[in-house]
C-alpha cells in the first residue's frame, strides 16, 4: 500500500502541474488517505478550489487493515476566512460536494451552503465531527442531501424548497423537515428509523417515488436468528395506487417478514414487481453475499408461497 500510495501521489502532482491555466469541472480523489497526509491533501483541495472546481469529491475509505487511522480533517479555516486565497469568492462555483471518511464540522457545511449559491449535491459519510446540521434557506438550490454513518450525528433541521433526494443513515435522534415540497426519494436507515425519521417525514410519504428503509438491530445478532414474538400494532389499510416496485433484502421467512410482505401485496394495487432477497444485508456487495442462500430453504419456501396473493399482473422474483 505504501508503494502504491507514493505512485498515486506522484501521478496526481504531475497531472496538476499540467493544468496550470485550466479551470476544473470536477476533482475526485479516491484512495486510502488519513490525516498523516493532511498537508498534501490540503494543497490538492486548495488547488481545486482556486481553479473554480464545480464538483469536489474526497473518498478516503480505508481498507480493513488501516481502519484505525485518524481520518483526514477538512481545512476549515481556509474556507471560512475571507483573508485566504481560497476563501468565500473561490467556492461560489461549487455544485457538488462529496466527503467520505473526512472529518467536517457543522459550521463548515453550513458555511458552504450559505456561500455556494449553485450547490445542488451534498454527501457526507463517516465524519466523527458532525453532530448537528441546519439546512435552511428559501434560495437554496440543494437537490441531493445524504448524511450516512456519522457516528455522533444526532440532529438535523431542513428547510429546502428544491430538495428531491434525502438520505439519513445512522443513530439520528431528531429529524425536523419543515419544508421540502419536491421530495421524491427517501433513504432512511438506523436502529430506530421509523421513530426518528419516518414519522417526522410522514407528511411527504405520499409524494415519494422511491423509499428505502434500512433497519438493523445489532451487528452481533445473526440475521437468520428467530426474533422474539411481540404484539404488533394495527395499521390503517387502504389501496396504494402509487407503489409499483418493492425490494425486500434480508427476508428469512419469519412471521414479521411475511406479515410485512402480505401487507404490501394487499395494499399496492398497482404493483408490477416484488423482489425478495433472502440474503444477509450486511454482506451485500461482498464475496460472501450469496453464501447462505442454500442454507435458508425456509425463507425461499415461504417466499414462494406469496405467489398465491400477488396482485394481478405483478411478478415475484426471488434472488
Amino acid at each position: 500500500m505504501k508503494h502504491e500510495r507514493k505512485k498515486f501521489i506522484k501521478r496526481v502532482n504531475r497531472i496538476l502541474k499540467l493544468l496550470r491555466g485550466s479551470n476544473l469541472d470536477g476533482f475526485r480523489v479516491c484512495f486510502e488517505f488519513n490525516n498523516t497526509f493532511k498537508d498534501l491533501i490540503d494543497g490538492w483541495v486548495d488547488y481545486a478550489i482556486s481553479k473554480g472546481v464545480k464538483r469536489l469529491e474526497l473518498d478516503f475509505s480505508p481498507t480493513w487493515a488501516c481502519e484505525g487511522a485518524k481520518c483526514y480533517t477538512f481545512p476549515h479555516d481556509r474556507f471560512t476566512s475571507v483573508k485566504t486565497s481560497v476563501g468565500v469568492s473561490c467556492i461560489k462555483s461549487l455544485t457538488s460536494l462529496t466527503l467520505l471518511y473526512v472529518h467536517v464540522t457543522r459550521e463548515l457545511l453550513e458555511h458552504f451552503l450559505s456561500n455556494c449559491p449553485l450547490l445542488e449535491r451534498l454527501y457526507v459519510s463517516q465524519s466523527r465531527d458532525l453532530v448537528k446540521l441546519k439546512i435552511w434557506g428559501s434560495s437554496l438550490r440543494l437537490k441531493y442531501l445524504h448524511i450516512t454513518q456519522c457516528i455522533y450525528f444526532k440532529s438535523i433541521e431542513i428547510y429546502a424548497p428544491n430538495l428531491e433526494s434525502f438520505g439519513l443513515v445512522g443513530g439520528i435522534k431528531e429529524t425536523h423537515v419543515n419544508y421540502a415540497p419536491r421530495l421524491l426519494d427517501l433513504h432512511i436507515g438506523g436502529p430506530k428509523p421509523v421513530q426518528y425519521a419516518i414519522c417526522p417525514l410522514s407528511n411527504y410519504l405520499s409524494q415519494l417515488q422511491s423509499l428505502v428503509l434500512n433497519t438493523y438491530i445489532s451487528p452481533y445478532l445473526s440475521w437468520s436468528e428467530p426474533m422474539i414474538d411481540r404484539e404488533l400494532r394495527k395499521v390503517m389499510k387502504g389501496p396504494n395506487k402509487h407503489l409499483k416496485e418493492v425490494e425486500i433484502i434480508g427476508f428469512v421467512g419469519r412471521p414479521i417478514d411475511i406479515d410485512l410482505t402480505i401487507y404490501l401485496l394487499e395494499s399496492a394495487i398497482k404493483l408490477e414487481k416484488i423482489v425478495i432477497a433472502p440474503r444477509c444485508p450486511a454482506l451485500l456487495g461482498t464475496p460472501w453475499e450469496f453464501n447462505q442462500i442454500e442454507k435458508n430453504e425456509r425463507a425461499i419456501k415461504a417466499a414462494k408461497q406469496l405467489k398465491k396473493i400477488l396482485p394481478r399482473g405483478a411478478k415475484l422474483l426471488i434472488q
Side-chain angles (χ1 to χ4, degrees):
M1 177 60 75
K2 290 182 179 179
H3 176 68
E4 291 299 322
R5 187 183 289 111
K6 287 181 179 179
K7 288 170 54 180
F8 181 83
I9 292 172
K10 287 182 179 179
R11 186 163 65 249
V12 173
N13 288 336
R14 184 173 63 251
I15 292 172
L16 295 185
K17 288 181 180 179
L18 298 175
L19 300 173
R20 291 177 181 174
S22 305
N23 288 331
L24 292 181
D25 182 65
F27 185 77
R28 177 175 184 257
V29 181
C30 183
F31 203 86
E32 181 185 301
F33 283 109
N34 55 46
N35 217 39
T36 304
F37 302 90
K38 180 170 174 54
D39 291 342
L40 172 73
I41 300 168
D42 284 354
W44 289 351
V45 172
D46 287 352
Y47 179 90
I49 295 296
S50 69
K51 294 294 183 179
V53 68
K54 296 178 180 178
R55 294 175 287 106
L56 176 62
E57 178 177 348
L58 303 179
D59 181 357
F60 299 152
S61 301
T63 61
W64 290 101
C66 302
E67 259 195 333
K70 186 178 179 181
C71 292
Y72 166 72
T73 300
F74 203 85
H76 298 66
D77 294 341
R78 277 174 160 81
F79 298 96
T80 56
S81 174
V82 296
K83 297 179 181 179
T84 62
S85 59
V86 290
V88 175
S89 61
C90 295
I91 62 175
K92 290 187 179 297
S93 58
L94 199 64
T95 63
S96 175
L97 180 62
T98 300
L99 302 173
L100 282 70
Y101 282 89
V102 174
H103 289 334
V104 64
T105 65
R106 166 188 181 177
E107 290 74 19
L108 182 66
L109 291 183
E110 292 180 359
H111 176 80
F112 272 102
L113 288 165
S114 299
N115 293 281
C116 299
L118 303 179
L119 190 64
E120 295 184 352
R121 188 181 192 277
L122 178 60
Y123 175 33
V124 180
S125 181
Q126 298 287 351
S127 173
R128 288 178 175 264
D129 290 345
L130 192 60
V131 179
K132 295 182 179 181
L133 189 59
K134 186 175 182 180
I135 310 292
W136 198 275
S138 58
S139 61
L140 283 178
R141 285 199 181 187
L142 195 66
K143 295 180 179 180
Y144 180 100
L145 173 64
H146 282 233
I147 308 293
T148 67
Q149 303 299 345
C150 296
I151 189 170
Y152 298 116
F153 190 62
K154 302 301 179 186
S155 174
I156 188 167
E157 188 174 358
I158 296 175
Y159 185 102
N162 294 302
L163 188 65
E164 296 177 357
S165 179
F166 178 42
L168 193 60
V169 178
I172 190 74
K173 296 293 184 182
E174 296 180 23
T175 304
H176 304 284
V177 180
N178 296 280
Y179 190 63
R182 297 187 180 183
L183 189 63
L184 299 174
D185 172 59
L186 182 61
H187 185 163
I188 298 296
K192 294 183 179 180
V194 174
Q195 179 179 351
Y196 294 126
I198 293 296
C199 288
L201 286 158
S202 58
N203 291 337
Y204 301 97
L205 295 181
S206 62
Q207 69 190 52
L208 296 180
Q209 293 182 359
S210 173
L211 171 63
V212 176
L213 181 62
N214 182 2
T215 180
Y216 53 83
I217 300 172
S218 169
Y220 303 105
L221 293 178
S222 170
W223 70 287
S224 59
E225 287 179 358
M227 297 181 67
I228 300 173
D229 291 335
R230 59 175 180 159
E231 184 179 352
L232 298 180
R233 292 180 294 175
K234 292 184 178 180
V235 297
M236 294 179 61
K237 288 189 176 181
N240 186 323
K241 300 179 181 180
H242 305 286
L243 191 61
K244 294 183 179 180
E245 294 187 12
V246 173
E247 182 176 10
I248 300 177
I249 301 174
F251 182 97
V252 294
R254 294 179 298 229
I256 191 171
D257 301 333
I258 297 172
D259 287 345
L260 173 61
T261 308
I262 290 176
Y263 169 76
L264 292 171
L265 292 176
E266 291 179 345
S267 60
I269 60 177
K270 298 290 186 179
L271 189 70
E272 297 175 356
K273 181 174 69 174
I274 180 169
V275 179
I276 295 180
R279 311 195 296 273
C280 177
L283 298 179
L284 291 180
T286 72
W288 307 279
E289 179 176 345
F290 296 95
N291 281 6
Q292 299 185 18
I293 290 183
E294 295 80 4
K295 299 179 182 179
N296 201 2
E297 296 179 358
R298 179 186 64 180
I300 296 175
K301 183 178 180 181
K304 289 181 177 179
Q305 294 297 316
L306 296 169
K307 288 184 178 180
K308 301 176 182 178
I309 59 172
L310 277 178
R312 181 176 298 179
K315 296 181 180 180
L316 171 63
L317 302 178
I318 302 174
Q319 297 181 345

